[in-house]
Amino acid sequence: MTTAPTARKNAVGTAHTRVEGRDKVTGAARYAAEIPFAELAHGWLVSSTVARGRIRSVEDGPVLAMPGVVAVLHHGNAPRVETGYVGMLGVPDPTAAVFQHDRVPHLGWPVALVVADTSEQAREAAEALVVHYEQEPHDVDFSGEHPDAYPVDSHGPAVAEKGDLDAELAASAVVVDAEYTTPEEHHNPMEPHAATARWDGGRLELVDSNQGTFWVASELAKMFSLDPASIRVRSEHVGGGFGSKGVRAHQVAAVMAATELHRPVRVIMTRRQMFSLAGYRSPTRQRLRLGADADGRLRALEHRSLSATSTVHEFIESAAGPARTMYDADAHHTTNRLVRLDVPTPTWMRAPGEAPGSFALESAMDELAEKCDLDPIELRARNDPRTGPVSGLPFSGRNLIACFREGARRFGWDDRDPRPGLRRDGRWLLGTGTAAASFPAGAGPSTAAVTAEADGTFTVRVNAADIGTGARTALTLVAADALVTAPEKVRVRIGDSDLGPAFIAGGSMGTRSWAWAVTIAAEELRERLALGADIPAEGITVRSDTTEAIGALAQKERHSFGAQFAEVAVDPTTGEVRVRRMLGIFAAGRIVNPLTARNQFVGGMTWGISMALHEEAVRDQASGGHYGADLAGYHVAAHADVPAIEADWIDDPDPDDPVGIKGIGEIGIVGAAAAVANAVWHATGVRHRDLPIRPDRVLLAGGHA
């Protein structure tokens, strides 16, 4: 049988329901903790009850005698693993290498794994396990000055400087000098972290919930000194990740137990354990100093950020990074510093660096606009750079001001009286605010295989991870266009390390990276079919690898951009803040599937409301742990907080991408909290530089102008 292209379907850019949607709503789609295994054992992690110290003893004898208990793993008997390696995303966090020593660096550190025949038996035994500690004084206080803070390079240099900052500040007609803080925030997905490990014919299989199966497989191979070909990791459906679902303690513990017991072992984190072992966003303290001419042109920009990490691993929240993209100045100084505390290691959380950094930067820009007596949008337009403020590189596309112009038109911004505290609706003070958004648009090397089947359909195999974003559907549409066929004739297989190397679902790079590889393979296959090739029973397969193509990209500043608008109502008597409406306009490359893209944008904006008004993990100084480490005590936006939210985009294809994609997963949250905070100022005349904007803070600040 021969298949030849007919006419292009233009599937990309048209709204398409999720190809796996029916399976998810009917329960046919199975998640990591739901897949059955014969002779399955259940592991339950035991967490430390002290914030710093040493384990003196683990009294496992009585627990091993309990019904159904088959093993207790701890630092005295667990297999040794390797940690001194550089993995796909850098040096690994030693937290994942469980039970290797007797040190306890933070509360909730995994000290043992109890394995039993049932989950209930494992939990009961884990709660009965007695662990004795030699407790030491701990420090979890991020609130004060930290003389031992130090700069740390991350995705960019820790310090970037040009020009004479003090001289330009002294010569400025208008100066803003303010400190902004954001609290510790958590990104617990609804689906908990779960993994099942088993050995099958000399090969390790892990069924997991993660953001990249090839990534997890390669890390486990290094950690356990295994041939990468002897590991298979599957993660077909993922109920949210947001940066948290990488290589964690539960996967390593499951592999250890399966190796020791020669039977499958499943380990699922509890919600409370996720607050200690799944990563989080570090709190930040950020100082902004902006100096401008009388007409609002920036002469000086300083953004200094401090974040926290654990004593065992460096992870920095690069909040000063957005300033290096957004605005230029004659003197431009940015610094990211870190302090080590007796706390768990933070990790990537939706828009790492950009989300807290944009709150501080965009709030400071709003303050500067007020002092310059300029409209906030006009101030940003006057400081819109033509090249990268630090890099000097050209932008691959920068349509930020176009987003502001379109957003202002649709939001009714021109009718806004800039004076604060004037609009009322009964007991409510009303205000509007805006902020800019940006997020890097990158791509990682990936491979893909596309097969023309004998029945006239096509199978795409790419090791993507659909963490709820609709990646399966987007890749179906991309493949359909590249093959010049209907989406209904394309099947996409993802989430299996046997499919080969591919970039993770993270950094807003997933869909772009995978689509690039799929497009190359599909177009080559289409060309072969156009030559009249006969398709055998096993089909015709073409494989691609984008490593060379991505490596050949010219050096440019590559970003998605956006403009956020918010209207709030503030009750000056109770301190209550309600967001009445939000609008986000984005320039984020070619939009593959408008239906799921809008979900991504609105989801990010909703998270921005949550960040502005609710989210705050509070640590008890005495114990080193959280108050309310669950989704009852950790407040997030509810339906009453999320009224009319509208997201849209302007035409902004990336000319250097084969599909025109940039990335949309994270930019929706960037700038959203600042837009809300700026709107609260407009409603009340009071600036809030500390998140969240709780009712007590509104009341303490005076409530209204």
Side-chain angles (χ1 to χ4, degrees):
M1 177 180 178
T2 299
T3 300
T6 54
R8 181 167 293 276
K9 301 296 182 180
N10 293 322
V12 170
T14 60
H16 200 292
T17 57
R18 295 172 187 259
V19 295
E20 83 284 11
R22 179 177 291 276
D23 288 345
K24 285 185 172 178
V25 299
T26 60
R30 294 187 300 184
Y31 291 80
E34 300 175 318
I35 297 174
F37 285 85
E39 300 181 344
L40 178 65
H42 297 264
W44 200 279
L45 287 168
V46 179
S47 304
S48 69
T49 57
V50 301
R52 182 184 175 95
R54 290 185 179 275
I55 302 168
R56 292 209 322 260
S57 64
V58 179
E59 305 296 332
D60 56 358
V63 168
L64 286 167
M66 294 179 69
V69 176
V70 295
V72 178
L73 296 180
H74 52 79
H75 73 280
N77 62 13
R80 301 296 96 183
V81 296
E82 177 63 45
T83 59
Y85 65 87
V86 178
M88 182 176 172
L89 298 182
V91 177
D93 181 355
T95 306
V98 291
F99 320 139
Q100 298 299 292
H101 52 75
D102 64 356
R103 291 293 310 172
V104 174
H106 63 76
L107 191 77
W109 178 265
V111 297
L113 180 77
V114 176
V115 187
D117 292 328
T118 69
S119 177
E120 292 79 8
Q121 291 170 331
R123 177 176 183 174
E124 182 180 6
E127 292 175 348
L129 183 68
V130 175
V131 180
H132 296 287
Y133 301 93
E134 181 182 317
Q135 192 168 357
E136 300 171 3
H138 63 264
D139 178 13
V140 299
D141 185 12
F142 184 73
S143 62
E145 292 297 322
H146 294 278
D148 54 347
Y150 60 99
V152 175
D153 296 338
S154 182
H155 299 295
V159 179
E161 296 180 336
K162 71 175 185 181
D164 188 330
L165 184 69
D166 291 336
E168 294 296 339
L169 284 169
S172 296
V174 181
V175 173
V176 170
D177 185 347
E179 184 176 85
Y180 304 84
T181 69
T182 61
E184 179 180 322
E185 299 167 350
H186 286 257
H187 51 349
N188 287 339
M190 290 299 292
E191 181 206 18
H193 294 59
T196 305
R198 73 168 177 177
W199 286 93
D200 184 12
R203 196 173 192 219
L204 175 64
E205 180 182 19
L206 187 78
V207 175
D208 189 25
S209 178
N210 63 52
Q211 294 181 230
T213 60
F214 191 82
W215 171 33
V216 173
S218 63
E219 296 286 321
L220 292 177
K222 291 181 175 68
M223 197 175 290
F224 286 91
S225 301
L226 297 171
D227 180 353
S230 68
I231 300 180
R232 183 188 186 190
V233 178
R234 292 189 291 129
S235 184
E236 186 176 359
H237 296 287
V238 182
F242 312 114
S244 74
K245 285 186 174 172
V247 181
R248 299 289 175 197
H250 66 296
Q251 298 138 319
V252 178
V255 172
M256 286 180 172
T259 302
E260 293 291 305
L261 297 174
H262 306 289
R263 63 187 284 194
V265 177
R266 175 170 293 159
V267 180
I268 305 171
M269 284 193 199
T270 66
R271 185 65 63 183
R272 181 170 288 272
Q273 288 170 348
M274 289 166 66
F275 273 81
S276 296
L277 300 177
Y280 58 97
R281 197 192 308 278
S282 165
T284 69
R285 301 183 71 87
Q286 303 176 59
R287 185 183 182 188
L288 267 294
R289 289 200 293 171
L290 304 178
D293 291 340
D295 62 359
R297 189 187 70 83
L298 284 169
R299 299 187 60 145
L301 188 159
E302 181 186 33
H303 191 167
R304 298 170 57 86
S305 176
L306 176 69
S307 61
T309 193
S310 69
T311 59
V312 298
H313 186 64
E314 283 185 341
F315 183 92
I316 189 162
E317 186 77 16
S318 302
R324 300 173 183 176
T325 299
M326 295 306 295
Y327 310 109
D328 201 357
D330 298 318
H332 199 290
H333 291 206
T334 52
T335 305
N336 288 302
R337 295 185 305 143
L338 197 60
V339 62
R340 289 183 179 269
L341 298 173
D342 300 312
V343 297
T345 307
T347 192
W348 302 281
M349 178 169 163
R350 198 171 195 174
E354 274 76 10
S358 67
F359 163 67
L361 177 62
E362 294 300 308
S363 295
M365 288 294 285
D366 203 69
E367 296 197 40
L368 183 63
E370 177 196 358
K371 286 193 170 187
C372 291
D373 195 24
L374 280 174
D375 178 83
I377 296 176
E378 179 59 27
L379 176 72
R380 289 167 173 85
R382 293 184 185 186
N383 288 283
D384 193 44
R386 296 183 178 180
T387 60
V390 173
S391 70
L393 295 172
F395 287 97
S396 63
R398 185 182 173 99
N399 289 317
L400 173 62
I401 303 306
C403 292
F404 270 116
R405 300 301 186 208
E406 175 64 12
R409 182 187 67 81
R410 293 173 56 166
F411 196 73
W413 186 263
D414 289 345
D415 296 331
R416 175 183 190 260
D417 188 325
R419 295 172 297 173
L422 297 182
R423 290 179 59 207
R424 280 189 174 272
D425 180 8
R427 63 188 175 94
W428 299 95
L429 291 165
L430 304 182
T432 52
T434 190
S438 74
F439 196 81
S446 298
T447 63
V450 182
T451 301
E453 307 289 0
D455 63 359
T457 63
F458 299 88
T459 302
V460 175
R461 295 176 177 85
V462 58
N463 199 4
D466 192 335
I467 59 175
T469 59
R472 264 188 195 82
T473 310
L475 294 173
T476 298
L477 303 183
V478 168
D481 274 5
L483 292 164
V484 194
T485 191
E488 292 74 23
K489 289 191 174 184
V490 177
R491 294 183 300 274
V492 175
R493 301 285 180 259
I494 66 171
D496 187 335
S497 61
D498 278 358
L499 296 174
F503 199 71
I504 65 168
S508 293
M509 292 192 285
T511 299
R512 179 176 182 176
S513 301
W514 310 320
W516 198 323
V518 168
T519 298
I520 291 174
E523 288 181 345
E524 182 180 336
L525 176 61
R526 190 187 75 225
E527 291 172 2
R528 289 177 60 177
L529 295 176
L531 297 175
D534 290 330
I535 301 178
E538 67 274 16
I540 297 176
T541 299
V542 172
R543 293 176 172 83
S544 66
D545 185 337
T546 63
T547 303
E548 184 176 343
I550 289 174
L553 281 172
Q555 291 293 305
K556 294 182 182 179
E557 288 271 359
R558 304 178 190 278
H559 304 269
S560 294
F561 292 96
Q564 303 270 17
F565 295 83
E567 180 179 51
V568 303
V570 182
D571 186 335
T573 303
T574 66
E576 182 181 1
V577 179
R578 292 292 186 194
V579 177
R580 290 197 167 184
R581 61 188 177 111
M582 281 194 77
L583 170 67
I585 301 293
F586 302 96
R590 190 179 182 196
I591 302 301
V592 177
N593 184 359
L595 185 63
T596 52
R598 188 167 278 108
N599 289 344
Q600 284 286 287
F601 289 134
V602 170
M605 294 167 68
T606 303
W607 206 335
I609 295 174
S610 200
M611 178 181 177
L613 302 181
H614 303 296
E615 293 195 48
E616 182 179 26
V618 180
R619 288 195 176 272
D620 175 20
Q621 300 295 312
S623 71
H626 290 114
Y627 295 103
D630 50 49
L631 295 186
Y634 182 80
H635 292 173
V636 296
H639 282 294
D641 305 300
V642 185
I645 299 183
E646 185 180 0
D648 211 337
W649 46 86
I650 62 175
D651 190 42
D652 181 54
D654 187 334
D656 297 324
D657 183 88
V659 187
I661 297 170
K662 283 188 176 178
I664 63 173
E666 311 189 63
I667 193 171
I669 190 176
V670 182
V676 173
N678 293 338
V680 171
W681 167 80
H682 188 231
T684 65
V686 177
R687 291 285 178 188
H688 288 272
R689 302 185 180 100
D690 304 296
L691 293 185
I693 307 173
R694 302 188 311 252
D696 63 304
R697 286 176 168 167
V698 174
L699 293 175
L700 287 172
H704 60 86

